[in-house]
């Protein structure tokens, strides 16, 4: 029989496992950033830059001493690398071996990428990089013909070589990938043995539960093709062996690592506000957020302006273990102003002095993080709360 826990206890477990309110680390700042990446398992990369990009934003929320050069330094030190998680991401090098399972599937044609393979072009590109060293897509002569994705042949070939593991990203220049041969990027002595199917699936399970506390087969297999049934079978086996525990939250059942249940605290250990990236690891699965946190969140930058309710790039606001609202923002680096186009609070949320004080502190930190000296508030929902936000002009 599953263990019954309350929704509040479940939320506390999830937030603790995400290390959003973690105690100060004994590591130096760079070591703390690496530790966060290794714990979470991935940091999603996104190109939108109305505020600091998602990978920086996610790490800043877990490391008060985060520096925008940290990822670049960790890539150079071969402690972090780029590959595909559920989306483009930075991954810890210690987990490199587990990417080989998917890379082999791409190489063998068992898993398809967006682009058809042009084997001759791929071979030519590999030879050029082998002879000349790291190259970018723009270093190749492209034909004028583009496919339905608007991508040119050499770029498609580079992406196929990257997905099947022949190439890796050595660095980024102006956010553009610089590709090199995988064997020239990998650190010496790294384990390159392709995991068995069971090893890979167990890795997915333990990695997810460590970072997210609670998980279902669907959540663990999120956007990973052909894994859901395999995950479900392995979860049952791990439950039988008492490696994991089944818990029930309202009408939903989840799996939890045994040791994590001991982390349910009776008292709140933090009174902080977190302004999160839309691509933060905590809330990337929107259905999960609605079920566990009663937070119905969708990013609206991909919808037409007329259909937007909250704004182009609304940032979720986490207060303790609940979502208080969302903040649509844009950093204007010319004027040094963080424009808060819309600050919207959830219907159930009651503004308090404690929240206002914590939000004031976090907003000032967020301004500095975005290289802004002040914030300007344009709109609130409900409108009556605008006067309460004294921190914002």
């Amino acid at each position: 029989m599953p263990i019954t826990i309350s929704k509040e206890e479940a939320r506390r477990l999830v937030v603790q496992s995400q290390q959003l309110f973690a105690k100060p680390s004994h590591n130096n700042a760079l070591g703390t950033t690496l530790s966060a990446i290794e714990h979470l398992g991935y940091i999603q990369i996104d190109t939108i830059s109305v505020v600091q990009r998602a990978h920086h934003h996610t790490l800043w929320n877990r490391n008060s001493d985060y520096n925008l050069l940290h990822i670049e330094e960790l890539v150079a030190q071969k402690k972090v690398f780029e590959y595909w998680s559920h989306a483009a991401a930075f991954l810890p090098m210690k987990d490199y071996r587990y990417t080989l399972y998917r890379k082999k599937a791409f190489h063998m044609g068992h898993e398809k990428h967006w682009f058809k393979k042009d084997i001759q072009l791929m071979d030519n590109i590999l030879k050029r990089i082998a002879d000349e060293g790291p190259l970018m897509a723009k270093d190749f002569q492209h034909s004028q013909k583009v496919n339905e994705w608007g991508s040119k042949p050499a770029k498609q070939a580079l992406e196929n070589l990257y997905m099947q593991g022949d190439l890796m990203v050595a660095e980024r220049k102006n956010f553009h990938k610089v590709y090199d041969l995988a064997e020239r990027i990998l650190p010496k002595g790294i384990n390159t043995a392709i995991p068995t199917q069971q090893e890979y699936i167990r890795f997915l399970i333990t990695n997810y539960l460590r970072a997210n506390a609670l998980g279902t087969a669907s959540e663990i297999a999120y956007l990973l093709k052909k894994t859901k049934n395999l995950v479900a079978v392995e979860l049952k086996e791990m439950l039988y062996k008492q490696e994991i525990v089944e818990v029930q939250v309202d009408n939903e059942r989840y799996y939890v690592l045994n040791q994590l249940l001991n982390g349910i605290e009776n008292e709140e250990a933090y009174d902080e506000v977190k302004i999160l990236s839309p691509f933060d690891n905590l809330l990337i699965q929107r259905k999960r957020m609605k079920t566990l946190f009663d937070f119905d969140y969708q990013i609206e930058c991909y919808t037409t302006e007329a259909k937007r309710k909250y704004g182009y790039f609304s940032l979720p606001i986490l207060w303790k273990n609940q979502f208080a609202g969302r903040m649509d923002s844009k950093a204007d680096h010319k004027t040094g102003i963080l424009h808060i186009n819309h600050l919207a609070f959830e219907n159930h949320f009651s503004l308090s002095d404690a929240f206002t004080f914590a939000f004031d502190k976090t907003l000032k930190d967020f301004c500095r993080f975005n290289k802004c000296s002040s914030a300007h508030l344009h709109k609130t929902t409900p409108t009556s709360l605008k006067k309460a936000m004294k921190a914002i002009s």
Side-chain angles (χ1 to χ4, degrees), residues 50-51 327-333 335-342 366-367 372 374-378 392:
V50 292
V51 292
M327 184 177 87
D328 180 45
S329 310
K330 183 175 182 178
D332 186 338
H333 296 130
T335 62
I337 296 173
L338 178 73
H339 289 280
I340 302 176
N341 299 315
H342 188 189
F366 190 67
C367 282
C372 292
S374 63
H376 183 73
L377 178 61
H378 297 273
I392 312 171

Side-chain angles (χ1 to χ4, degrees), residues 38-54:
E38 290 182 340
H39 175 79
L40 295 173
Y42 76 91
I43 299 293
Q44 183 170 334
I45 303 169
D46 194 78
T47 58
I48 297 174
S49 57
V50 292
V51 292
Q52 287 289 4
R53 285 193 171 105

Side-chain angles (χ1 to χ4, degrees), residues 83-86 91 95-106 111 193-208 220-228 230-231 234 238:
Y83 193 59
W84 202 261
S85 179
H86 71 276
L91 307 173
D95 294 339
Y96 172 78
R97 174 181 176 231
Y98 295 98
T99 66
L100 295 175
Y101 186 87
R102 290 190 74 194
K103 287 173 179 176
K104 180 182 177 182
F106 280 114
E111 189 167 343
I194 299 173
T196 65
Q197 183 182 87
Q198 185 181 38
E199 286 177 323
Y200 174 66
I201 297 301
R202 285 180 68 91
F203 168 78
L204 293 181
I205 293 170
T206 55
N207 228 31
Y208 184 89
I220 294 166
Y222 179 65
L223 295 184
L224 296 173
K225 295 179 181 178
K226 302 177 182 178
T227 60
K228 181 180 175 181
L230 296 172
V231 167
E234 192 62 31
M238 293 174 73

